[in-house]
Amino acid sequence: MKLCRHLLASALAIASFAAQAVDQPPLTATTRASGLPRAPEQEAVTFELADLSFKVDPARKWLDGDARLTFLANKPISRLVVDLDRNYKIDLVEIDGIAVAAGAWGNPEGRMSVDLPKSLAAGGRALLRIRYAGSPHEATRAPWDGAITWATAPTGEPWIATTVEGEGCDLLWPCIDHPQGEPLRVDEHITVPAPLVAAGNGIARGMDEKDGWRTWHWSARNPDTYAIALNIGPYELLQADYKSRYGNVIPLRFWYLKGNQAKARGLFAEFAPMLDFFEETIGPYPFGDEKMGVVETPHLGMEHQTINAYGNDYRKAEYGYDWLLQHEFAHEWFGNQLTNADWDDMWLHEGFGTYMQPLYVQWLRGQMEYMAVLMKQRAGIADAHPVVAGRSMTEEGVYDDAHGPGNDIYYKASLMLHTLRGLIGDDAFFRATRETVYGTDTPRPGNFKPRYATTADFIATTNRVTGKDYGWFFDVYLRSAKLPQLLATRSGDRLQLRWKTQGEKPFPMPVQVRVGDRVVDVAMTGGAGEVGIADGDSYTLDPQSRVLRELPQIADFQRDTAERAKAAAAARKR
Ligand SMILES: [Zn+2]
């Protein structure tokens, strides 16, 4: 997730994560949006280092922030531009240690501009310091909105988390709020009242304690912009080392709430098999030199890089694994290692991230579990907007299901991947996946770095790996709102089959049909085909459920469920 807006979770989410009204200043349109086109000055720089100090005071619900940002100019620039919620009060702006006069910087809409004392040539560096303070925007339904959740642990201590996927990193620190705004490194210094613990991104760099406050130091390379998160609470720590098949040793760390040790041990025992699965199926854990980190949070979950948020309350499932932990962990590959170049490519995170659940239970348990999870996902496909719009999108534009694909970037994309795997076979499917994730088919720790990719990149890689053009496949599944329909007409001793697609796009997708006691492969060249059928023979289309297609019974089920939910809501109001 970057957010996981899982339907599996949404029933639960509506019940236990009900929105709470918070009296706070509104966000500007610029701050509320994430992934707006970058300013030319933001595109002209390499964001080398974000050195971020956060002092978090739960008693006052207050954040004092001090950000030192190093930019390398790739083109000549005369100012620096960063995004920061203007509801913070800024009391100091410096360039290279010298204060910038009040008239030389401004932040009217949440896109802050700072004039440089003299223009920077290509190859030049500037250190921008911004000291700011205020009450961070409060989330009302985390993790689906941001930024901060002030909760209380069951044992009475403050329990604090941030979630900024929706509105972006600018709710928390001055950043470039775009998927491609990743700094090369982020150092964090998180100051909290003793004895609270702040579990951060990347590698632990120690803790200082002074005058009743603790400062926890962390350092992370190539973090996703919204991966930078505050997680503060009365945490205890479970730790172990994982010996990877690639020869390296990966630190495993789980910060759980005091009092939850027995349950936490159960979840911690799932870390190693999940690593086994991902490393065997996809490739090396991308941040093995830092850690596999998980922290217990007061919200459901979020894929914060090397410090995944876990809030599934150790719920047991019939599959015998924690789907929330596994989903967020999948994003270390699909989200944090492979990052969408634009929000329009978000299915690369959520579709793959969601397909990793059935794939994991197939590996862990077997076919019944694999198909059962896929069926649950199938029932959640809305099929109202294309998964990919073909133009630059904001986060909200993608997630708002009234105007964008919403949950279809999870479920429809996951079922599309299941279909692709069946069509091109495991070898080609996993090779195309691996190359898209790592940029190489032979990833080893140290020979790859986090990378950006687009939908077009994945399609091109699939075509290259298979030596065929699967443009027709992706056109129908990703770029059409409607799923393809498989029409079957019985005519004498023939069963005629035809694919019907939105806009009459070509769709030569082979299918199987059971006729009587035989299963027949139908090539569907040109989008049509037929099989012989004797009088009295029954038939089943696609008896092994290999191909994602429109199913009228699912539409009926969804309509009925929605009507019943509406009626129940109306009854509650009366
Ligand atoms: Zn997700």
Side-chain angles (χ1 to χ4, degrees):
M1 292 177 202
K2 264 103 183 277
L3 288 208
C4 221
R5 298 176 203 222
H6 248 253
L7 275 196
L8 284 173
S10 65
L12 159 92
I14 288 158
S16 58
F17 296 80
Q20 292 159 16
V22 177
D23 186 24
Q24 58 185 338
L27 300 174
T28 67
T30 303
T31 299
R32 203 174 55 241
S34 186
L36 289 170
R38 286 170 289 171
E41 292 84 355
Q42 293 178 319
E43 289 190 357
V45 294
T46 298
F47 195 167
E48 291 189 322
L49 175 67
D51 185 281
L52 306 175
S53 296
F54 301 100
K55 184 177 184 185
V56 181
D57 187 351
R60 296 162 56 218
K61 293 192 172 180
W62 193 260
L63 169 70
D64 285 296
D66 196 346
R68 291 173 169 86
L69 315 174
T70 305
F71 294 104
L72 167 67
N74 301 314
K75 288 182 195 164
I77 46 171
S78 58
R79 49 181 207 151
L80 292 171
V81 177
V82 291
D83 299 296
L84 181 65
D85 181 1
R86 67 160 186 190
N87 292 328
Y88 289 116
K89 190 174 174 319
I90 295 169
D91 79 337
L92 178 69
V93 180
E94 288 179 356
I95 297 280
D96 298 326
I98 297 166
V100 177
W105 66 268
N107 189 23
E109 293 298 327
R111 182 157 275 185
M112 179 172 175
S113 172
V114 182
D115 292 341
L116 290 163
K118 61 177 202 286
S119 293
L120 217 51
R125 282 190 176 77
L127 171 62
L128 169 63
R129 180 181 178 194
I130 299 169
R131 204 166 63 192
Y132 59 103
S135 295
H137 193 75
E138 274 192 57
T140 56
R141 36 191 287 278
W144 290 272
D145 74 342
I148 201 161
T149 300
W150 303 101
T152 303
T155 44
E157 300 88 343
W159 186 23
I160 300 155
T162 60
T163 47
V164 298
E165 186 203 359
E167 298 85 352
C169 44
D170 51 346
L171 288 189
L172 204 56
W173 55 284
C175 64
I176 297 175
D177 181 16
H178 186 276
Q180 295 191 54
E182 292 185 1
L184 300 183
R185 176 165 294 281
V186 172
D187 290 339
E188 303 165 354
H189 316 281
I190 306 164
T191 302
V192 298
L196 294 179
V197 177
N201 303 87
I203 292 176
R205 295 277 194 225
M207 184 270 285
D208 309 316
E209 187 162 345
K210 199 181 150 196
D211 303 331
W213 294 83
R214 286 176 163 189
T215 302
W216 299 81
H217 305 279
W218 297 91
S219 184
R221 63 174 173 86
N222 308 104
D224 233 52
T225 54
Y226 65 77
I228 301 305
L230 300 174
N231 290 288
I232 298 160
Y235 290 126
E236 292 176 351
L237 177 62
L238 281 169
Q239 43 186 331
D241 286 335
Y242 174 85
K243 264 181 70 85
S244 164
R245 73 196 56 229
Y246 293 97
N248 54 321
V249 174
I250 303 170
L252 309 181
R253 301 285 183 271
F254 181 25
W255 286 265
Y256 62 92
L257 279 187
K258 194 171 80 179
N260 282 352
Q261 194 183 97
K263 287 185 282 188
R265 278 191 190 285
L267 191 72
F268 192 58
E270 293 194 37
F271 286 24
M274 285 185 191
L275 270 165
D276 289 344
F277 161 75
F278 281 109
E279 291 213 313
E280 185 180 329
T281 310
I282 309 299
Y285 174 58
F287 308 101
D289 55 331
E290 294 186 343
K291 67 182 183 296
M292 173 183 174
V294 179
V295 61
E296 193 171 350
T297 54
H299 61 83
L300 185 60
M302 182 73 80
E303 62 271 29
H304 297 139
Q305 191 169 314
T306 68
I307 190 72
N308 274 309
Y310 173 81
N312 199 27
D313 199 26
Y314 307 97
R315 196 168 267 105
K316 295 292 179 195
E318 60 271 48
Y319 303 95
Y321 84 113
D322 193 294
W323 73 267
L324 188 279
L325 176 69
Q326 205 265 358
H327 177 88
E328 303 307 349
F329 192 46
H331 283 308
E332 297 286 21
W333 285 262
F334 305 100
N336 299 334
Q337 163 59 30
L338 157 68
T339 299
N340 52 1
D342 191 276
W343 280 103
D344 195 35
D345 306 302
M346 191 56 181
W347 75 271
L348 290 170
H349 296 199
E350 296 300 1
F352 275 105
T354 300
Y355 186 52
M356 290 302 123
Q357 283 90 76
L359 204 59
Y360 182 55
V361 290
Q362 187 177 39
W363 178 91
L364 188 68
R365 309 286 174 213
Q367 198 63 9
M368 177 173 76
E369 287 80 358
Y370 175 73
M371 294 308 264
V373 176
L374 285 178
M375 182 63 195
K376 191 99 179 160
Q377 296 180 359
R378 177 62 189 86
I381 294 177
D383 221 14
H385 299 273
V387 169
V388 173
R391 60 179 189 278
S392 182
M393 297 284 277
T394 62
E395 192 271 356
E396 193 181 14
V398 173
Y399 275 95
D400 170 16
D401 54 15
H403 303 98
N407 278 327
D408 278 2
I409 64 171
Y410 296 81
Y411 303 125
K412 187 172 174 180
S414 171
L415 270 292
M416 181 273 286
L417 291 170
H418 161 73
T419 306
L420 180 66
R421 184 183 164 207
L423 179 66
I424 68 177
D426 277 9
D427 281 358
F429 176 77
F430 287 109
R431 182 162 171 207
T433 301
R434 194 156 41 244
E435 289 198 23
T436 306
V437 169
Y438 298 98
T440 167
D441 189 41
T442 52
R444 319 281 311 171
N447 79 352
F448 60 87
K449 280 190 178 149
R451 63 197 301 267
Y452 298 109
T454 62
T455 302
D457 292 333
F458 179 66
I459 296 171
T461 304
T462 302
N463 289 345
R464 181 169 44 74
V465 164
T466 56
K468 290 185 184 164
D469 184 354
Y470 284 105
W472 57 269
F473 176 93
F474 295 103
D475 272 355
V476 166
Y477 283 122
L478 294 180
R479 298 188 180 118
S480 296
K482 294 291 166 210
L483 283 172
Q485 242 182 310
L486 182 57
L487 304 177
T489 316
R490 201 168 178 150
S491 160
D493 62 352
R494 313 304 293 164
L495 181 67
Q496 289 163 338
L497 302 170
R498 185 170 75 82
W499 283 111
K500 185 170 184 285
T501 59
Q502 193 174 22
E504 303 302 320
K505 291 180 179 177
F507 196 63
M509 168 64 91
V511 285
Q512 291 185 323
V513 184
R514 177 195 63 82
V515 178
D517 56 7
R518 306 173 292 145
V519 173
V520 184
D521 287 294
V522 189
M524 299 298 282
T525 313
E530 60 174 34
V531 289
I533 189 165
D535 238 12
D537 268 356
S538 64
Y539 68 89
T540 306
L541 302 177
D542 190 23
Q544 297 189 57
S545 308
R546 286 181 166 175
V547 181
L548 173 62
R549 61 191 168 100
E550 193 195 272
L551 298 171
Q553 69 272 23
I554 299 266
D556 286 348
F557 164 76
Q558 290 175 334
R559 207 173 306 115
D560 180 69
T561 306
E563 279 165 15
R564 286 169 194 274
K566 218 168 128 187
R572 273 198 302 276
K573 264 193 200 146
R574 279 202 295 271

